[in-house]
Amino acid sequence: MTDIPLATAEAVLAPDTGRRTAPFIPLPRNAARAATLAGAVVTIASTFMSWTYTTDFPGDLTVSGYPGGLQVMTLIGAIITGVVALGAFRLKGAGWLNPSRSNNSVLLLALATLGTTWYTVIDIAAKLGGIANLDPGGFVAAVGSLLLFAGALALPIDRRPQEPADAEYYELGRFEKSALVVRSYVWLREARLHHSDMRVSDARKLNPWLQRLVIVVVYALGLKVLTFGLATDYSDIFLGYLIVVAVGLWGLGAGGLLRQFQQLTHRNKRFAATVGIIAAAAYPFAQNNEHWANLGVSVLIVGTVALGLNIVVGLTGLLDLGYVAFLGVGAYAAALVSGSQFSIWSGVQFPFWAAAIAGMAAACIFGVLIGAPTLRLRGDYLAIVTLGFGEIFRIVVRNLDGVSGPKVTNGPNGIAQIPDLSIFGYNLGANHDIGSFTLGRFANYYLLMLVITMIVVLVFTRAADSRIGRSWIAIREDETAATAMGINGFRVKLVAFALGASLAGLAGTVFAHVTNSVVPDPYQFSGPVPPNSAFLLAAVVLGGMGTVSGPIVGAALLYVIPEKLDFLSKYELFAFGLALILIMRFRPEGIIPNRRRQLEFHEDETTAPGKRPLGDDTVPAAAAGA
């Protein structure tokens, strides 16, 4: 991108990309750079000062010379912003920190630093009774982060082109006649950042061993960041952590670092997958806490079920609102044959592999029985039928208590005291010492569920890349056209329904043993406690429909965030709804988008004159460094 000699208020239009480069605050370029770096230095220095005089605020911010609590978030944000800014300013040797040389990454990282710093200052004043409870370090941090953000706003920022003078905004409706509303709306549209097609050098030209080293380091850092966030004991600190991580990743993506890492993982698929599995297996050793190991098991179980739902929703395009019932079928089937004294077959105890097959088979049969008469329906009609199936399942298992119906499930009391699994003599319910580490019950089940998740991921990827997978996608895109081309739409959809139900039943077998009991209450459409059908659908949509890692990431976010933020316990469903509204408005393809769906949702951007195809982000190294 061509340098701009002076950061004025006039926009410079890049004709090859359709974006313009302009600051939000008119300042000379050198002054903007100086303010940015000075703000980073002042903010870093403030973290080594006392921010409050009392230890009543979480994290102990009373110590000078040693950052603690939320000061660590501010310190990390300021350091990353400073070094990325040096890369954007083309400092020799720092270019790799900002491959796109875009100031957008500096602005977003400065926003992350400002957000967590001012959140801390305001939280101290609110919880301790006014700004008088701030020590000088708190004021220095507030001023330093504000200077950092103001300097970043004065840098040349890549933004959307200016709106045409004769543009009409029908979405404003009756407010369109108000000049103030129109001007504000136009300013917001023009203020949007534009860095999706920024060019970066091809990281795949690095030495192959260096590529693998980068992958190992990134996965290790990711594990460290995750365990650091989970180890925080206070919701105040975790909220600041979320601000830095979420906006920080956005900023690193604007700089091109995430795109280059994606290039490396795509080039070294098997190695990256192996390192990822090792990092996931190291999770119970890195945090060594049974509570978070239990959370990890729950995330993997729900993520696995969401992957099965992803076949139905993401690949085939069928809206299923009662999918959690298949998890319940697998759980109940495994509970009946696993040796519980409350089972009608209390003397029968299958080995785990047999119980898993029983759960999968039962869920598959139910999937076929439900799908066969209903999959000829489409759209809302199919959604209503599947919603009814989910409710019917929950009501039926509540009534199979020997009073309202045959005695099979013990009704509302469920099947309790399901024995822990023992695989090759390894009792998953007991503690096991491995060197200086102790693997507890939930850590054992986490490792088992990790193996099952790998199997489900393999099945999902193989199925999606197969002939039947392409048929699913064709049905999703246009069922009438697919049928005209010779695809048996009913059979293809029935296979998707049966396979998705089987994967949910497999996860249900582990779910029954982890919880030691199976009761009908969780298997409903929506509720405050997952899993439920609404939660599963939210995980798929939030993470990214049609992807492998998207549903798992979505399940992790929906589990961890309410767990760490106590004040959301009463507003969990409201928060889910708000998150879905925002994701549908600003990133409808999900956090981890499927390539095809990303092109669909941003077709207007990728087909504009002068645009390169989305994802064509590489140029020769010489051109990138020019």
Side-chain angles (χ1 to χ4, degrees), residues 256-275:
L257 281 175
L258 298 185
R259 213 174 312 164
Q260 286 191 328
F261 181 70
Q262 188 179 18
Q263 293 173 355
L264 296 182
T265 55
H266 185 74
R267 178 68 175 270
N268 304 272
K269 285 184 178 179
R270 293 184 178 179
F271 180 79
T274 303
V275 175

mmCIF file with all atom_site columns, all heavy atoms in Angstrom, residues 256-275:
data_model
loop_
_atom_site.group_PDB
_atom_site.id
_atom_site.type_symbol
_atom_site.label_atom_id
_atom_site.label_alt_id
_atom_site.label_comp_id
_atom_site.label_asym_id
_atom_site.label_entity_id
_atom_site.label_seq_id
_atom_site.pdbx_PDB_ins_code
_atom_site.Cartn_x
_atom_site.Cartn_y
_atom_site.Cartn_z
_atom_site.occupancy
_atom_site.B_iso_or_equiv
_atom_site.pdbx_formal_charge
_atom_site.auth_seq_id
_atom_site.auth_comp_id
_atom_site.auth_asym_id
_atom_site.auth_atom_id
_atom_site.pdbx_PDB_model_num
ATOM 1   N N   . GLY A 1 256 ? -2.670 -9.140  9.552  1.00 0.00 ? 256 GLY A N   1
ATOM 2   C CA  . GLY A 1 256 ? -2.287 -10.227 8.652  1.00 0.00 ? 256 GLY A CA  1
ATOM 3   C C   . GLY A 1 256 ? -1.611 -11.402 9.322  1.00 0.00 ? 256 GLY A C   1
ATOM 4   O O   . GLY A 1 256 ? -1.321 -12.402 8.661  1.00 0.00 ? 256 GLY A O   1
ATOM 5   N N   . LEU A 1 257 ? -1.355 -11.329 10.644 1.00 0.00 ? 257 LEU A N   1
ATOM 6   C CA  . LEU A 1 257 ? -0.666 -12.431 11.317 1.00 0.00 ? 257 LEU A CA  1
ATOM 7   C C   . LEU A 1 257 ? -1.519 -13.702 11.333 1.00 0.00 ? 257 LEU A C   1
ATOM 8   O O   . LEU A 1 257 ? -1.010 -14.808 11.106 1.00 0.00 ? 257 LEU A O   1
ATOM 9   C CB  . LEU A 1 257 ? -0.306 -12.026 12.744 1.00 0.00 ? 257 LEU A CB  1
ATOM 10  C CG  . LEU A 1 257 ? 0.924  -11.132 12.904 1.00 0.00 ? 257 LEU A CG  1
ATOM 11  C CD1 . LEU A 1 257 ? 1.087  -10.701 14.358 1.00 0.00 ? 257 LEU A CD1 1
ATOM 12  C CD2 . LEU A 1 257 ? 2.184  -11.855 12.438 1.00 0.00 ? 257 LEU A CD2 1
ATOM 13  N N   . LEU A 1 258 ? -2.813 -13.560 11.592 1.00 0.00 ? 258 LEU A N   1
ATOM 14  C CA  . LEU A 1 258 ? -3.677 -14.739 11.611 1.00 0.00 ? 258 LEU A CA  1
ATOM 15  C C   . LEU A 1 258 ? -3.786 -15.358 10.224 1.00 0.00 ? 258 LEU A C   1
ATOM 16  O O   . LEU A 1 258 ? -3.857 -16.581 10.082 1.00 0.00 ? 258 LEU A O   1
ATOM 17  C CB  . LEU A 1 258 ? -5.064 -14.362 12.137 1.00 0.00 ? 258 LEU A CB  1
ATOM 18  C CG  . LEU A 1 258 ? -5.124 -13.820 13.569 1.00 0.00 ? 258 LEU A CG  1
ATOM 19  C CD1 . LEU A 1 258 ? -6.563 -13.599 14.000 1.00 0.00 ? 258 LEU A CD1 1
ATOM 20  C CD2 . LEU A 1 258 ? -4.439 -14.787 14.539 1.00 0.00 ? 258 LEU A CD2 1
ATOM 21  N N   . ARG A 1 259 ? -3.790 -14.513 9.202  1.00 0.00 ? 259 ARG A N   1
ATOM 22  C CA  . ARG A 1 259 ? -3.856 -15.031 7.841  1.00 0.00 ? 259 ARG A CA  1
ATOM 23  C C   . ARG A 1 259 ? -2.589 -15.811 7.500  1.00 0.00 ? 259 ARG A C   1
ATOM 24  O O   . ARG A 1 259 ? -2.642 -16.857 6.841  1.00 0.00 ? 259 ARG A O   1
ATOM 25  C CB  . ARG A 1 259 ? -4.052 -13.878 6.873  1.00 0.00 ? 259 ARG A CB  1
ATOM 26  C CG  . ARG A 1 259 ? -4.880 -14.224 5.638  1.00 0.00 ? 259 ARG A CG  1
ATOM 27  C CD  . ARG A 1 259 ? -5.147 -13.000 4.806  1.00 0.00 ? 259 ARG A CD  1
ATOM 28  N NE  . ARG A 1 259 ? -5.636 -11.894 5.632  1.00 0.00 ? 259 ARG A NE  1
ATOM 29  C CZ  . ARG A 1 259 ? -5.660 -10.641 5.211  1.00 0.00 ? 259 ARG A CZ  1
ATOM 30  N NH1 . ARG A 1 259 ? -5.218 -10.339 4.012  1.00 0.00 ? 259 ARG A NH1 1
ATOM 31  N NH2 . ARG A 1 259 ? -6.132 -9.684  5.994  1.00 0.00 ? 259 ARG A NH2 1
ATOM 32  N N   . GLN A 1 260 ? -1.445 -15.317 7.925  1.00 0.00 ? 260 GLN A N   1
ATOM 33  C CA  . GLN A 1 260 ? -0.204 -16.034 7.671  1.00 0.00 ? 260 GLN A CA  1
ATOM 34  C C   . GLN A 1 260 ? -0.157 -17.349 8.439  1.00 0.00 ? 260 GLN A C   1
ATOM 35  O O   . GLN A 1 260 ? 0.313  -18.364 7.920  1.00 0.00 ? 260 GLN A O   1
ATOM 36  C CB  . GLN A 1 260 ? 0.988  -15.150 8.057  1.00 0.00 ? 260 GLN A CB  1
ATOM 37  C CG  . GLN A 1 260 ? 1.253  -14.023 7.081  1.00 0.00 ? 260 GLN A CG  1
ATOM 38  C CD  . GLN A 1 260 ? 2.580  -13.341 7.350  1.00 0.00 ? 260 GLN A CD  1
ATOM 39  O OE1 . GLN A 1 260 ? 3.033  -13.242 8.492  1.00 0.00 ? 260 GLN A OE1 1
ATOM 40  N NE2 . GLN A 1 260 ? 3.221  -12.856 6.304  1.00 0.00 ? 260 GLN A NE2 1
ATOM 41  N N   . PHE A 1 261 ? -0.664 -17.351 9.667  1.00 0.00 ? 261 PHE A N   1
ATOM 42  C CA  . PHE A 1 261 ? -0.705 -18.604 10.431 1.00 0.00 ? 261 PHE A CA  1
ATOM 43  C C   . PHE A 1 261 ? -1.640 -19.603 9.757  1.00 0.00 ? 261 PHE A C   1
ATOM 44  O O   . PHE A 1 261 ? -1.362 -20.805 9.733  1.00 0.00 ? 261 PHE A O   1
ATOM 45  C CB  . PHE A 1 261 ? -1.162 -18.329 11.866 1.00 0.00 ? 261 PHE A CB  1
ATOM 46  C CG  . PHE A 1 261 ? -1.205 -19.568 12.718 1.00 0.00 ? 261 PHE A CG  1
ATOM 47  C CD1 . PHE A 1 261 ? -0.035 -20.201 13.099 1.00 0.00 ? 261 PHE A CD1 1
ATOM 48  C CD2 . PHE A 1 261 ? -2.416 -20.093 13.130 1.00 0.00 ? 261 PHE A CD2 1
ATOM 49  C CE1 . PHE A 1 261 ? -0.076 -21.347 13.877 1.00 0.00 ? 261 PHE A CE1 1
ATOM 50  C CE2 . PHE A 1 261 ? -2.464 -21.232 13.908 1.00 0.00 ? 261 PHE A CE2 1
ATOM 51  C CZ  . PHE A 1 261 ? -1.285 -21.868 14.284 1.00 0.00 ? 261 PHE A CZ  1
ATOM 52  N N   . GLN A 1 262 ? -2.726 -19.116 9.198  1.00 0.00 ? 262 GLN A N   1
ATOM 53  C CA  . GLN A 1 262 ? -3.636 -19.996 8.453  1.00 0.00 ? 262 GLN A CA  1
ATOM 54  C C   . GLN A 1 262 ? -2.927 -20.593 7.243  1.00 0.00 ? 262 GLN A C   1
ATOM 55  O O   . GLN A 1 262 ? -3.142 -21.766 6.894  1.00 0.00 ? 262 GLN A O   1
ATOM 56  C CB  . GLN A 1 262 ? -4.873 -19.215 8.022  1.00 0.00 ? 262 GLN A CB  1
ATOM 57  C CG  . GLN A 1 262 ? -5.960 -20.075 7.402  1.00 0.00 ? 262 GLN A CG  1
ATOM 58  C CD  . GLN A 1 262 ? -7.180 -19.269 7.015  1.00 0.00 ? 262 GLN A CD  1
ATOM 59  O OE1 . GLN A 1 262 ? -7.119 -18.048 6.898  1.00 0.00 ? 262 GLN A OE1 1
ATOM 60  N NE2 . GLN A 1 262 ? -8.289 -19.932 6.814  1.00 0.00 ? 262 GLN A NE2 1
ATOM 61  N N   . GLN A 1 263 ? -2.085 -19.827 6.589  1.00 0.00 ? 263 GLN A N   1
ATOM 62  C CA  . GLN A 1 263 ? -1.299 -20.353 5.478  1.00 0.00 ? 263 GLN A CA  1
ATOM 63  C C   . GLN A 1 263 ? -0.394 -21.496 5.941  1.00 0.00 ? 263 GLN A C   1
ATOM 64  O O   . GLN A 1 263 ? -0.279 -22.529 5.271  1.00 0.00 ? 263 GLN A O   1
ATOM 65  C CB  . GLN A 1 263 ? -0.454 -19.237 4.860  1.00 0.00 ? 263 GLN A CB  1
ATOM 66  C CG  . GLN A 1 263 ? -1.243 -18.153 4.158  1.00 0.00 ? 263 GLN A CG  1
ATOM 67  C CD  . GLN A 1 263 ? -0.361 -16.999 3.715  1.00 0.00 ? 263 GLN A CD  1
ATOM 68  O OE1 . GLN A 1 263 ? 0.836  -16.964 4.021  1.00 0.00 ? 263 GLN A OE1 1
ATOM 69  N NE2 . GLN A 1 263 ? -0.941 -16.053 3.008  1.00 0.00 ? 263 GLN A NE2 1
ATOM 70  N N   . LEU A 1 264 ? 0.242  -21.307 7.096  1.00 0.00 ? 264 LEU A N   1
ATOM 71  C CA  . LEU A 1 264 ? 1.162  -22.328 7.599  1.00 0.00 ? 264 LEU A CA  1
ATOM 72  C C   . LEU A 1 264 ? 0.418  -23.604 7.968  1.00 0.00 ? 264 LEU A C   1
ATOM 73  O O   . LEU A 1 264 ? 0.876  -24.713 7.673  1.00 0.00 ? 264 LEU A O   1
ATOM 74  C CB  . LEU A 1 264 ? 1.929  -21.794 8.808  1.00 0.00 ? 264 LEU A CB  1
ATOM 75  C CG  . LEU A 1 264 ? 2.858  -20.593 8.560  1.00 0.00 ? 264 LEU A CG  1
ATOM 76  C CD1 . LEU A 1 264 ? 3.584  -20.215 9.842  1.00 0.00 ? 264 LEU A CD1 1
ATOM 77  C CD2 . LEU A 1 264 ? 3.860  -20.914 7.458  1.00 0.00 ? 264 LEU A CD2 1
ATOM 78  N N   . THR A 1 265 ? -0.717 -23.477 8.655  1.00 0.00 ? 265 THR A N   1
ATOM 79  C CA  . THR A 1 265 ? -1.466 -24.669 9.042  1.00 0.00 ? 265 THR A CA  1
ATOM 80  C C   . THR A 1 265 ? -2.029 -25.389 7.822  1.00 0.00 ? 265 THR A C   1
ATOM 81  O O   . THR A 1 265 ? -2.131 -26.619 7.809  1.00 0.00 ? 265 THR A O   1
ATOM 82  C CB  . THR A 1 265 ? -2.606 -24.311 9.998  1.00 0.00 ? 265 THR A CB  1
ATOM 83  O OG1 . THR A 1 265 ? -3.435 -23.298 9.398  1.00 0.00 ? 265 THR A OG1 1
ATOM 84  C CG2 . THR A 1 265 ? -2.055 -23.793 11.322 1.00 0.00 ? 265 THR A CG2 1
ATOM 85  N N   . HIS A 1 266 ? -2.398 -24.631 6.795  1.00 0.00 ? 266 HIS A N   1
ATOM 86  C CA  . HIS A 1 266 ? -2.899 -25.261 5.578  1.00 0.00 ? 266 HIS A CA  1
ATOM 87  C C   . HIS A 1 266 ? -1.770 -26.000 4.849  1.00 0.00 ? 266 HIS A C   1
ATOM 88  O O   . HIS A 1 266 ? -1.994 -27.071 4.270  1.00 0.00 ? 266 HIS A O   1
ATOM 89  C CB  . HIS A 1 266 ? -3.511 -24.208 4.660  1.00 0.00 ? 266 HIS A CB  1
ATOM 90  C CG  . HIS A 1 266 ? -4.158 -24.771 3.432  1.00 0.00 ? 266 HIS A CG  1
ATOM 91  N ND1 . HIS A 1 266 ? -5.370 -25.425 3.460  1.00 0.00 ? 266 HIS A ND1 1
ATOM 92  C CD2 . HIS A 1 266 ? -3.732 -24.804 2.122  1.00 0.00 ? 266 HIS A CD2 1
ATOM 93  C CE1 . HIS A 1 266 ? -5.685 -25.831 2.237  1.00 0.00 ? 266 HIS A CE1 1
ATOM 94  N NE2 . HIS A 1 266 ? -4.711 -25.462 1.414  1.00 0.00 ? 266 HIS A NE2 1
ATOM 95  N N   . ARG A 1 267 ? -0.584 -25.434 4.905  1.00 0.00 ? 267 ARG A N   1
ATOM 96  C CA  . ARG A 1 267 ? 0.562  -26.070 4.248  1.00 0.00 ? 267 ARG A CA  1
ATOM 97  C C   . ARG A 1 267 ? 1.020  -27.307 5.017  1.00 0.00 ? 267 ARG A C   1
ATOM 98  O O   . ARG A 1 267 ? 1.465  -28.297 4.432  1.00 0.00 ? 267 ARG A O   1
ATOM 99  C CB  . ARG A 1 267 ? 1.709  -25.053 4.156  1.00 0.00 ? 267 ARG A CB  1
ATOM 100 C CG  . ARG A 1 267 ? 2.989  -25.579 3.535  1.00 0.00 ? 267 ARG A CG  1
ATOM 101 C CD  . ARG A 1 267 ? 2.817  -25.872 2.059  1.00 0.00 ? 267 ARG A CD  1
ATOM 102 N NE  . ARG A 1 267 ? 4.064  -26.256 1.437  1.00 0.00 ? 267 ARG A NE  1
ATOM 103 C CZ  . ARG A 1 267 ? 4.914  -25.398 0.878  1.00 0.00 ? 267 ARG A CZ  1
ATOM 104 N NH1 . ARG A 1 267 ? 4.631  -24.107 0.864  1.00 0.00 ? 267 ARG A NH1 1
ATOM 105 N NH2 . ARG A 1 267 ? 6.020  -25.810 0.320  1.00 0.00 ? 267 ARG A NH2 1
ATOM 106 N N   . ASN A 1 268 ? 0.903  -27.274 6.347  1.00 0.00 ? 268 ASN A N   1
ATOM 107 C CA  . ASN A 1 268 ? 1.348  -28.389 7.198  1.00 0.00 ? 268 ASN A CA  1
ATOM 108 C C   . ASN A 1 268 ? 0.151  -28.970 7.943  1.00 0.00 ? 268 ASN A C   1
ATOM 109 O O   . ASN A 1 268 ? 0.093  -28.954 9.175  1.00 0.00 ? 268 ASN A O   1
ATOM 110 C CB  . ASN A 1 268 ? 2.400  -27.899 8.195  1.00 0.00 ? 268 ASN A CB  1
ATOM 111 C CG  . ASN A 1 268 ? 3.591  -27.234 7.521  1.00 0.00 ? 268 ASN A CG  1
ATOM 112 O OD1 . ASN A 1 268 ? 4.560  -27.879 7.153  1.00 0.00 ? 268 ASN A OD1 1
ATOM 113 N ND2 . ASN A 1 268 ? 3.522  -25.918 7.354  1.00 0.00 ? 268 ASN A ND2 1
ATOM 114 N N   . LYS A 1 269 ? -0.819 -29.474 7.210  1.00 0.00 ? 269 LYS A N   1
ATOM 115 C CA  . LYS A 1 269 ? -2.077 -29.901 7.802  1.00 0.00 ? 269 LYS A CA  1
ATOM 116 C C   . LYS A 1 269 ? -1.876 -30.996 8.846  1.00 0.00 ? 269 LYS A C   1
ATOM 117 O O   . LYS A 1 269 ? -2.368 -30.900 9.975  1.00 0.00 ? 269 LYS A O   1
ATOM 118 C CB  . LYS A 1 269 ? -3.032 -30.391 6.708  1.00 0.00 ? 269 LYS A CB  1
ATOM 119 C CG  . LYS A 1 269 ? -3.647 -29.287 5.875  1.00 0.00 ? 269 LYS A CG  1
ATOM 120 C CD  . LYS A 1 269 ? -4.649 -29.862 4.889  1.00 0.00 ? 269 LYS A CD  1
ATOM 121 C CE  . LYS A 1 269 ? -5.315 -28.757 4.082  1.00 0.00 ? 269 LYS A CE  1
ATOM 122 N NZ  . LYS A 1 269 ? -6.290 -29.299 3.100  1.00 0.00 ? 269 LYS A NZ  1
ATOM 123 N N   . ARG A 1 270 ? -1.170 -32.043 8.486  1.00 0.00 ? 270 ARG A N   1
ATOM 124 C CA  . ARG A 1 270 ? -1.021 -33.169 9.402  1.00 0.00 ? 270 ARG A CA  1
ATOM 125 C C   . ARG A 1 270 ? -0.221 -32.782 10.629 1.00 0.00 ? 270 ARG A C   1
ATOM 126 O O   . ARG A 1 270 ? -0.568 -33.161 11.754 1.00 0.00 ? 270 ARG A O   1
ATOM 127 C CB  . ARG A 1 270 ? -0.354 -34.341 8.684  1.00 0.00 ? 270 ARG A CB  1
ATOM 128 C CG  . ARG A 1 270 ? -1.215 -34.959 7.588  1.00 0.00 ? 270 ARG A CG  1
ATOM 129 C CD  . ARG A 1 270 ? -0.552 -36.173 6.983  1.00 0.00 ? 270 ARG A CD  1
ATOM 130 N NE  . ARG A 1 270 ? -1.403 -36.787 5.966  1.00 0.00 ? 270 ARG A NE  1
ATOM 131 C CZ  . ARG A 1 270 ? -1.062 -37.853 5.258  1.00 0.00 ? 270 ARG A CZ  1
ATOM 132 N NH1 . ARG A 1 270 ? 0.115  -38.437 5.472  1.00 0.00 ? 270 ARG A NH1 1
ATOM 133 N NH2 . ARG A 1 270 ? -1.888 -38.347 4.354  1.00 0.00 ? 270 ARG A NH2 1
ATOM 134 N N   . PHE A 1 271 ? 0.850  -32.025 10.426 1.00 0.00 ? 271 PHE A N   1
ATOM 135 C CA  . PHE A 1 271 ? 1.661  -31.604 11.564 1.00 0.00 ? 271 PHE A CA  1
ATOM 136 C C   . PHE A 1 271 ? 0.858  -30.687 12.483 1.00 0.00 ? 271 PHE A C   1
ATOM 137 O O   . PHE A 1 271 ? 0.888  -30.833 13.713 1.00 0.00 ? 271 PHE A O   1
ATOM 138 C CB  . PHE A 1 271 ? 2.912  -30.888 11.071 1.00 0.00 ? 271 PHE A CB  1
ATOM 139 C CG  . PHE A 1 271 ? 3.823  -30.419 12.174 1.00 0.00 ? 271 PHE A CG  1
ATOM 140 C CD1 . PHE A 1 271 ? 4.678  -31.303 12.812 1.00 0.00 ? 271 PHE A CD1 1
ATOM 141 C CD2 . PHE A 1 271 ? 3.809  -29.088 12.593 1.00 0.00 ? 271 PHE A CD2 1
ATOM 142 C CE1 . PHE A 1 271 ? 5.507  -30.879 13.844 1.00 0.00 ? 271 PHE A CE1 1
ATOM 143 C CE2 . PHE A 1 271 ? 4.628  -28.656 13.622 1.00 0.00 ? 271 PHE A CE2 1
ATOM 144 C CZ  . PHE A 1 271 ? 5.484  -29.560 14.241 1.00 0.00 ? 271 PHE A CZ  1
ATOM 145 N N   . ALA A 1 272 ? 0.125  -29.732 11.893 1.00 0.00 ? 272 ALA A N   1
ATOM 146 C CA  . ALA A 1 272 ? -0.685 -28.809 12.699 1.00 0.00 ? 272 ALA A CA  1
ATOM 147 C C   . ALA A 1 272 ? -1.761 -29.560 13.465 1.00 0.00 ? 272 ALA A C   1
ATOM 148 O O   . ALA A 1 272 ? -2.032 -29.261 14.633 1.00 0.00 ? 272 ALA A O   1
ATOM 149 C CB  . ALA A 1 272 ? -1.309 -27.744 11.810 1.00 0.00 ? 272 ALA A CB  1
ATOM 150 N N   . ALA A 1 273 ? -2.390 -30.558 12.822 1.00 0.00 ? 273 ALA A N   1
ATOM 151 C CA  . ALA A 1 273 ? -3.412 -31.337 13.509 1.00 0.00 ? 273 ALA A CA  1
ATOM 152 C C   . ALA A 1 273 ? -2.810 -32.129 14.666 1.00 0.00 ? 273 ALA A C   1
ATOM 153 O O   . ALA A 1 273 ? -3.401 -32.214 15.750 1.00 0.00 ? 273 ALA A O   1
ATOM 154 C CB  . ALA A 1 273 ? -4.096 -32.282 12.523 1.00 0.00 ? 273 ALA A CB  1
ATOM 155 N N   . THR A 1 274 ? -1.620 -32.694 14.456 1.00 0.00 ? 274 THR A N   1
ATOM 156 C CA  . THR A 1 274 ? -0.957 -33.450 15.525 1.00 0.00 ? 274 THR A CA  1
ATOM 157 C C   . THR A 1 274 ? -0.612 -32.559 16.711 1.00 0.00 ? 274 THR A C   1
ATOM 158 O O   . THR A 1 274 ? -0.849 -32.915 17.870 1.00 0.00 ? 274 THR A O   1
ATOM 159 C CB  . THR A 1 274 ? 0.322  -34.115 14.985 1.00 0.00 ? 274 THR A CB  1
ATOM 160 O OG1 . THR A 1 274 ? -0.015 -34.965 13.873 1.00 0.00 ? 274 THR A OG1 1
ATOM 161 C CG2 . THR A 1 274 ? 0.994  -34.944 16.064 1.00 0.00 ? 274 THR A CG2 1
ATOM 162 N N   . VAL A 1 275 ? -0.048 -31.390 16.423 1.00 0.00 ? 275 VAL A N   1
ATOM 163 C CA  . VAL A 1 275 ? 0.301  -30.456 17.498 1.00 0.00 ? 275 VAL A CA  1
ATOM 164 C C   . VAL A 1 275 ? -0.953 -29.988 18.223 1.00 0.00 ? 275 VAL A C   1
ATOM 165 O O   . VAL A 1 275 ? -0.969 -29.849 19.451 1.00 0.00 ? 275 VAL A O   1
ATOM 166 C CB  . VAL A 1 275 ? 1.092  -29.262 16.937 1.00 0.00 ? 275 VAL A CB  1
ATOM 167 C CG1 . VAL A 1 275 ? 1.359  -28.231 18.022 1.00 0.00 ? 275 VAL A CG1 1
ATOM 168 C CG2 . VAL A 1 275 ? 2.408  -29.734 16.344 1.00 0.00 ? 275 VAL A CG2 1
#
